[in-house]
């Protein structure tokens, strides 16, 4: 691999390329000629089907003219990076594998940066915030969305605690198949999931208050010049509009959304680290879900758990657990990395004290 290669010049280049950005050597003329051959009625219908599938146009509604597709909002995402693996991005010279060790090595601070971080150590950190129940309280929002869908379909949702918990934390596929078996046909299930996503995005744009103490905490880290990123499975346009409505957009230097094409929670965290130009081992993730905390640790990141959506005993694996952002200070970030110096976890010689000499027992004889 060439020595001159670096990520800092274009962090956004790690994002998956769009079909229009591939080299012109691809046989596009062959595909166009095949499409021109579809002159019959069946061919035109087939062509319309291909186009509608390409743009996710299934006639299930939109938000402000933008089509809503069944995305990962109501899906249980994979944790990812269980063995340090990352994701692949495409370069003109071929695919490039980006994993945790690769990023920790490539995103090392340069000479001038190390001097600056020695004087201002807080700037060496990067903060990554999950959207759900960290930046905004979405628990009531999700429950309200499910009730809206049930009202439109003329159905009822049981009020038991177990059902409510599954509506919040389980995927839409599991809920519609096991918890609320309203429909059996796959086409109807797809329609319900698409409508559920549309209702959720409509309600999301009505949020007006962030989590308690979040603005004050972001003001503090902004004063300390610590870069922040937010990760979510939402559409980028909806994410930006929601942040604008909450008055938080100015605090985040990077946003990772559905368009980034990440396949797991850990991949989103790694993408956020690249956009912040901070190596993963210097990042702190704010999460409310034990699975997200596990993903952060798989990426060699620190994790701060917010108690609320899950009880404190479910967040024991977090490096720090707090009830709200008012309990945090910048000193807490320094303490998280307090034991990680240049020689941390290096093999050390163990000094073994010599055992004292054993006294010899003698028998005195008195004459």
């Amino acid at each position: 691999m060439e020595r001159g290669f670096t990520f800092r010049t274009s962090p956004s280049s790690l994002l998956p390329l769009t079909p229009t950005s591939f080299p012109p050597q691809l046989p596009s003329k062959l595909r166009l000629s095949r499409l021109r051959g579809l002159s019959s009625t069946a061919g035109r219908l087939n062509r319309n089907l291909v186009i509608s599938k390409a743009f996710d146009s299934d006639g299930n509604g939109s938000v402000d003219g933008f089509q809503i597709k069944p995305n990962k909002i109501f899906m249980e995402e994979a944790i990812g990076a269980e063995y340090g693996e990352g994701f692949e991005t495409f370069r003109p010279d071929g695919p490039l594998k980006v994993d945790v060790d690769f990023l920790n090595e490539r995103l090392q601070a340069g000479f001038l940066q190390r001097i600056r971080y020695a004087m201002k150590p807080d700037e060496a950190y990067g903060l990554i915030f999950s959207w759900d129940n960290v930046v905004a309280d979405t628990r009531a929002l999700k429950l309200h969305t499910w009730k809206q869908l049930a009202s439109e379909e003329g159905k009822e949702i049981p009020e038991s605690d177990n059902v409510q918990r599954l509506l919040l934390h389980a995927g839409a596929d599991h809920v519609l198949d096991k918890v609320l078996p309203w429909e059996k046909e796959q086409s109807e299930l797809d329609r319900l999931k698409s409508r559920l996503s549309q209702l959720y995005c409509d309600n999301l744009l009505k949020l007006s208050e962030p989590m308690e103490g979040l603005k004050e905490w972001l003001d503090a880290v902004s004063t300390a010049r610590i870069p922040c990123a937010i990760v979510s499975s939402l559409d980028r346009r909806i994410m930006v509009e929601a942040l604008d409505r909450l008055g938080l957009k100015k605090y985040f230097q990077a946003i990772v959304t559905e368009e980034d094409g990440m396949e797991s929670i850990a991949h989103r965290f790694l993408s956020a680290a690249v956009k912040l130009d901070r190596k993963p081992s210097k990042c702190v993730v704010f999460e409310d879900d034990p699975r997200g905390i596990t993903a952060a640790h798989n990426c060699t990141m620190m994790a701060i758990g917010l108690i609320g959506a899950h009880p404190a005993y479910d967040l024991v694996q977090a490096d720090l657990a707090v009830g709200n952002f008012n309990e945090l200070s910048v000193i807490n970030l320094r303490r998280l990395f307090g034991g990680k110096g240049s020689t941390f976890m290096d093999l050390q010689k163990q000094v073994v004290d010599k055992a004292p000499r054993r006294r010899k027992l003698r028998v005195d004889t008195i004459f």
Side-chain angles (χ1 to χ4, degrees):
M1 187 175 295
E2 295 181 2
R3 300 288 295 176
F5 181 84
T6 178
F7 272 98
R8 296 189 181 90
T9 56
S10 57
S12 61
S13 60
L14 283 176
L15 305 181
L17 299 178
T18 58
T20 58
S21 61
F22 281 101
Q25 290 81 6
L26 293 178
S28 57
K29 294 183 178 179
L30 295 179
R31 294 198 299 270
L32 290 175
S33 63
R34 291 181 61 187
L35 286 177
R36 292 191 190 100
L38 300 176
S39 57
S40 62
T41 304
R44 286 194 298 270
L45 292 176
N46 191 18
R47 180 171 56 185
N48 293 335
L49 179 60
V50 171
I51 295 175
S52 64
K53 289 296 183 181
F55 289 94
D56 273 329
S57 175
D58 52 1
N60 287 323
S62 61
V63 176
D64 297 334
F66 288 84
Q67 185 65 32
I68 295 298
K69 61 182 179 180
N71 49 23
K72 299 179 181 178
I73 297 175
F74 289 90
M75 290 178 59
E76 190 176 59
E77 293 184 85
I79 294 177
E82 283 83 358
Y83 302 99
E85 70 272 9
F87 53 90
E88 285 189 356
T89 183
F90 292 94
R91 299 283 182 176
D93 54 348
L96 175 66
K97 182 174 178 58
V98 180
D99 57 15
V100 177
D101 293 335
F102 182 86
L103 291 179
N104 276 324
E105 177 185 357
R106 285 291 179 172
L107 295 175
Q108 289 279 1
F111 175 72
L112 295 179
Q113 285 181 318
R114 288 199 298 269
I115 295 177
R116 181 176 180 85
Y117 295 160
M119 296 185 293
K120 299 182 177 181
D122 297 332
E123 295 184 14
Y125 309 136
L127 306 186
I128 302 174
F129 294 80
S130 180
W131 166 256
D132 287 324
N133 305 317
V134 175
V135 175
D137 189 355
T138 58
R139 288 173 293 177
L141 194 65
K142 287 185 176 181
L143 289 177
H144 179 64
T145 302
W146 277 108
K147 291 178 180 179
Q148 274 187 295
L149 181 65
S151 177
E152 290 183 359
E153 299 294 323
K155 307 290 184 179
E156 293 185 358
I157 296 179
E159 296 295 334
S160 66
D161 294 339
N162 187 44
V163 172
Q164 301 292 315
R165 181 179 58 83
L166 290 174
L167 293 179
L168 287 175
H169 304 299
D173 290 324
H174 177 77
V175 172
L176 293 175
D177 185 37
K178 302 295 184 182
V179 183
L180 305 174
W182 295 340
E183 299 288 347
K184 293 299 182 181
E185 295 293 333
Q186 186 61 40
S187 59
E188 285 297 310
L189 293 177
D190 292 339
R191 182 186 64 81
L192 290 175
K193 287 188 291 184
S194 181
R195 181 58 180 163
L196 185 69
S197 297
Q198 179 187 351
L199 291 173
Y200 179 77
C201 292
D202 284 339
N203 295 328
L204 194 64
L205 297 179
K206 300 176 183 177
L207 285 176
S208 58
E209 292 295 331
M211 294 291 286
E212 179 184 357
L214 177 61
K215 276 191 175 181
E216 293 77 10
W217 169 244
L218 290 175
D219 279 328
V221 299
S222 177
T223 303
R225 299 179 63 87
I226 304 175
C228 300
I230 184 171
V231 299
S232 172
S233 57
L234 292 170
D235 178 82
R236 184 178 300 274
R237 182 189 61 84
I238 297 175
M239 182 84 266
V240 171
E241 288 188 15
L243 289 176
D244 268 336
R245 187 173 180 82
L246 296 175
L248 302 178
K249 182 183 176 182
K250 61 181 179 180
Y251 296 109
F252 295 102
Q253 288 73 40
I255 299 178
V256 179
T257 55
E258 177 67 18
E259 285 80 0
D260 293 309
M262 299 296 119
E263 297 179 353
S264 66
I265 303 173
H267 292 176
R268 297 186 191 277
F269 293 159
L270 292 177
S271 179
V274 171
K275 292 186 177 185
L276 292 177
D277 196 19
R278 297 294 187 271
K279 61 180 184 178
S281 59
K282 279 292 185 180
C283 291
V284 181
V285 174
F286 293 83
E287 261 287 354
D288 75 305
D289 193 336
R291 303 176 73 253
I293 294 173
T294 301
H297 287 164
N298 289 346
C299 297
T300 68
M301 299 177 179
M302 293 293 180
I304 296 180
L306 265 73
I307 303 170
H310 292 270
Y313 56 79
D314 281 343
L315 305 176
V316 292
Q317 58 180 327
D319 300 289
L320 177 65
V322 295
N324 55 61
F325 287 100
N326 290 327
E327 302 178 14
L328 289 173
S329 66
V330 179
I331 298 296
N332 295 123
L333 301 180
R334 300 176 188 172
R335 290 174 178 170
L336 287 177
F337 297 94
K340 291 200 170 184
S342 58
T343 60
F344 181 67
M345 290 299 291
D346 287 350
L347 295 177
Q348 303 288 339
K349 292 184 178 180
Q350 183 178 1
V351 179
V352 179
D353 296 332
K354 293 183 179 180
R357 295 180 61 183
R358 297 180 62 184
R359 297 179 60 185
K360 295 181 179 180
L361 297 178
R362 297 180 179 179
V363 179
D364 292 337
T365 303
I366 301 176
F367 292 98

